[in-house]
Amino acid sequence: MARGSDGESVLHKHLRVLQAFDVLRPFLTLTEIVEATGLAVSTTHRLVSELEREGLLERMPDRSYRLGIRLWEFASRTPGAIGLRELARPWLEAVHSRVRQHTQLGVLSGRDVLFVERLSTREAVVNATVIGGRVPLAVSSSGLVLLAHSSPGIVDDVIAAGWPAYTAATIRTGDELRARLRRVRADGFAVTDGHIHRESRGIAVPVLDARGAVHAALGVVVPNDGTSPQASVELLTVAAAGIARALEEAGAARGGHGMRTLASTSRRSLDYFSSLDARSAG
């Protein structure tokens, strides 16, 4: 891999440019990209031009930039996108039809929970996440579920790096976090009352396979009104078991390959895709 004189790879510099964009800053000018990345103007201009040429960035009429649709195209081909989201969607919809607030699916990504799917209503309580958004593991119910089933090394890394305190209820210390993770493992679910926003409560359960490995966290964000979370926990537990079953049946949990094992669509459509694949192979 090519490296610059500063020892940083060219690929990593491209990623720095792409990572400058987020939900709160979907459009950036070249100057703003320079400020966000800390790269030289000439370097940034070259990287942006290359990314635009490949469709990974798109230039707007006002000369600002946004992430290119080609990134979505690549992401939609991954087994995680085609598999987990597709197979989990009916179960998220079933939960959402009962909860009518926020229902979401998150996976472990570094020290964060990355939300790959979310259903919401306009009248729902405050939720700090969006599809493709990240939240530190230690502050959310989904993050606590994922962290509770992670290796001790990941827990140590999260504690060493720290996390922001959003409210007075946010977990503050490593000892407090370890105690909460023990409770999550014992209970089989996590509840966070006002940890990110005081009006909101997160409730999450793990999506486990037959060996006890965690695929994802399934959660809801509902009003922090002091009511028992048990009904939501039971609803989520049933849905999580359904998602795990769907993954197992599809072969995704055992490393299955191909659209037939991952995509949720009609049988005739899958037969059609298979025929195209057979023709190209021949």
Side-chain angles (χ1 to χ4, degrees), residues 25-236:
R25 300 183 303 169
F27 300 96
L28 295 175
T29 64
L30 184 65
T31 299
E32 290 169 332
I33 296 172
V34 169
E35 292 173 352
T37 60
L39 296 168
V41 174
S42 58
T43 300
T44 305
H45 186 271
R46 174 176 55 79
L47 296 171
V48 166
S49 297
E50 291 172 355
L51 291 167
E52 182 186 7
R53 186 165 58 248
E54 297 300 328
L56 303 180
L57 284 182
E58 296 175 358
R59 190 176 186 183
M60 307 304 293
D62 64 356
R63 301 173 68 86
S64 67
Y65 294 88
R66 69 180 182 186
L67 294 176
I69 198 169
R70 197 174 183 195
L71 287 169
W72 172 86
E73 181 184 354
F74 288 145
S76 296
R77 297 175 189 171
T78 69
I82 297 177
L84 182 58
R85 286 185 66 186
E86 288 269 339
L87 297 173
R89 179 80 184 204
W91 293 99
L92 267 76
E93 290 174 347
V95 171
H96 189 61
S97 69
R98 296 276 299 277
V99 175
R100 303 302 300 168
Q101 289 284 329
H102 305 280
T103 305
Q104 52 200 28
L105 189 70
V107 297
L108 182 69
S109 180
R111 301 186 192 105
D112 302 323
V113 50
L114 172 65
F115 291 94
V116 298
E117 186 61 283
R118 194 187 80 172
L119 304 175
S120 300
T121 58
R122 288 292 185 183
E123 297 74 26
V125 295
V126 173
N127 186 354
T129 67
V130 294
I131 297 174
R134 293 170 175 267
V135 171
L137 289 166
V139 305
S140 74
S141 57
S142 293
L144 291 176
V145 162
L146 294 169
L147 196 54
H149 295 273
S150 298
S151 69
I154 294 177
V155 177
D156 292 341
D157 183 48
V158 167
I159 292 173
W163 56 87
Y166 294 99
T167 72
T170 306
I171 293 171
R172 290 294 202 278
T173 68
D175 288 343
E176 187 181 355
L177 177 61
R178 292 186 194 279
R180 179 62 69 89
L181 295 178
R182 287 194 294 269
R183 179 177 171 184
V184 171
R185 284 190 289 270
D187 292 343
F189 62 88
V191 178
T192 52
D193 292 334
H195 282 213
I196 296 178
H197 193 283
R198 63 179 182 273
E199 296 178 8
S200 306
R201 160 188 272 181
I203 307 169
V205 302
V207 178
L208 300 164
D209 66 14
R211 297 174 296 279
V214 175
H215 293 294
L218 176 64
V220 295
V221 177
V222 297
N224 185 21
D225 55 10
T227 58
S228 171
Q230 195 57 40
S232 293
V233 170
E234 292 174 358
L235 181 64
L236 289 168

